Amino acid sequence: MRFDIISVLPELLESPLNHSIMKRAKDKGLLEVYLHQLRDYATGKHKQVDDYQFGGGAGMVMKPEPIAACIEQLMSERNYDEIIYTSPDGQCLDQQLCNRLSMKQNVIILCGHYKGIDERIRQKYITMEISIGDYVLSGGELAAAVLVDSIGRLIPGVLNDETSALFDSFQDDLLAPPVYTRPAEWEGMKVPDVLLSGHEKMIDDWRHDQSMERTKARRPDLWERFQNGV
Ligand code: ADE
């Protein structure tokens, strides 16, 4: 899968996307991430990428021309399945959306800044707007990093044990059960006997019960969805 990320601050993305699982995915050739400095597509002496908003009001708006030039350049090189704009106005990212996006081949992510992008870019190019939560970030870069990480790890072969993503929290609308490692007793607290029993069916049932209890207690919204099977 290939991501092309357009940003005025691509440096913000370098570290999160070049370590751990993301680095391994790239090294294995399963994930490609290209960062594009929007300013490189701006014309004029000052390489201006933002301007005052028509109608007045505080805050600058990202100009349409450099964004269009960058997107057009990319679209002339390959077809894109989605052109995503990271914005608090967007559809909220969840595991189902990550699953769906992990099946795409080529995706552009445009990172917003300032007051946002000129509306005409949204109309002409953006196929999907995604928010990573109901709060406002100072720019879309961290949201883009969250997108690439949460989607990239779902690409088959990226995780060592391929089944492990299937058991993540949210994959079946339930939170993950508690996990333990050695020692079997620590600070007077014991690992539940069932996990030491070696009895696979009992362990699976215990984990499922724990997942349900945890979801019911912590995330009534997910619990409702799980019970309704939607
Ligand atoms: N840009 C600013 N806030 C954001 C959010 N919550 N999600 C995605 N992009 C954003």
Side-chain angles (χ1 to χ4, degrees), residues 135-150:
Y135 43 81
V136 179
L137 300 164
S138 33
E141 285 74 16
L142 296 179
V146 167
L147 274 175
V148 175
D149 187 296
S150 57

Side-chain angles (χ1 to χ4, degrees), residues 1-3 30 80-82 84 97-108 127-128 151 155:
M1 182 172 185
R2 172 181 173 126
F3 286 98
L30 298 168
Y80 284 91
D81 303 301
E82 297 289 351
I84 297 171
L97 183 52
C98 294
N99 290 345
R100 264 201 287 136
L101 290 170
S102 72
M103 289 169 215
K104 308 283 182 190
Q105 286 288 302
N106 298 316
V107 171
I108 292 176
T127 60
M128 196 175 223
I151 296 165
I155 300 168

Side-chain angles (χ1 to χ4, degrees), residues 15-220:
S15 177
L17 300 180
N18 284 312
H19 290 95
S20 181
I21 290 169
M22 291 301 104
K23 179 171 185 320
R24 219 170 51 218
K26 286 186 186 173
D27 292 346
K28 283 185 181 171
L30 298 168
L31 178 68
E32 291 173 89
V33 183
Y34 296 91
L35 304 178
H36 305 277
Q37 169 55 265
L38 183 63
R39 222 168 278 284
D40 293 344
Y41 295 83
T43 52
K45 203 166 73 186
H46 301 292
K47 298 272 179 194
Q48 194 180 346
V49 292
D50 59 341
D51 212 335
Y52 295 101
Q53 53 176 315
F54 280 122
M60 305 291 268
V61 174
M62 288 168 79
K63 287 167 69 59
E65 305 94 318
I67 298 173
C70 183
I71 292 177
E72 289 288 346
Q73 172 70 42
L74 291 170
M75 289 198 320
S76 73
E77 292 164 5
R78 69 197 61 75
N79 291 324
Y80 284 91
D81 303 301
E82 297 289 351
I83 303 182
I84 297 171
Y85 172 50
T86 55
S87 154
D89 307 349
Q91 170 182 3
C92 220
L93 185 67
D94 63 12
Q95 195 63 39
Q96 266 111 343
L97 183 52
C98 294
N99 290 345
R100 264 201 287 136
L101 290 170
S102 72
M103 289 169 215
K104 308 283 182 190
Q105 286 288 302
N106 298 316
V107 171
I108 292 176
I109 303 177
L110 171 63
C111 302
H113 257 271
Y114 320 114
K115 271 278 165 201
I117 55 173
D118 188 288
E119 188 65 21
R120 292 163 292 185
I121 289 291
R122 284 168 129 148
Q123 287 165 1
K124 180 158 183 195
Y125 296 108
I126 301 302
T127 60
M128 196 175 223
E129 301 197 11
I130 297 181
S131 163
I132 62 161
D134 289 339
Y135 43 81
V136 179
L137 300 164
S138 33
E141 285 74 16
L142 296 179
V146 167
L147 274 175
V148 175
D149 187 296
S150 57
I151 296 165
R153 63 194 292 286
L154 297 173
I155 300 168
V158 167
L159 296 181
N160 272 342
D161 175 359
E162 261 197 56
T163 57
S164 69
L166 294 176
F167 296 111
D168 285 346
S169 282
F170 304 116
Q171 279 299 8
D172 51 7
D173 283 331
L174 290 176
L175 301 180
V179 291
Y180 298 86
T181 184
R182 289 187 292 182
E185 183 171 345
W186 176 74
E187 304 250 326
M189 290 180 277
K190 288 186 176 161
V191 172
D193 286 338
V194 60
L195 296 178
L196 310 175
S197 70
H199 195 303
E200 235 173 88
K201 166 87 173 71
M202 268 165 54
I203 293 172
D204 282 350
D205 289 348
W206 180 86
R207 285 185 170 147
H208 192 61
D209 287 348
Q210 290 287 319
S211 278
M212 292 200 293
E213 285 309 314
R214 198 162 258 204
T215 309
K216 213 186 303 181
R218 298 183 183 194
R219 291 291 303 272

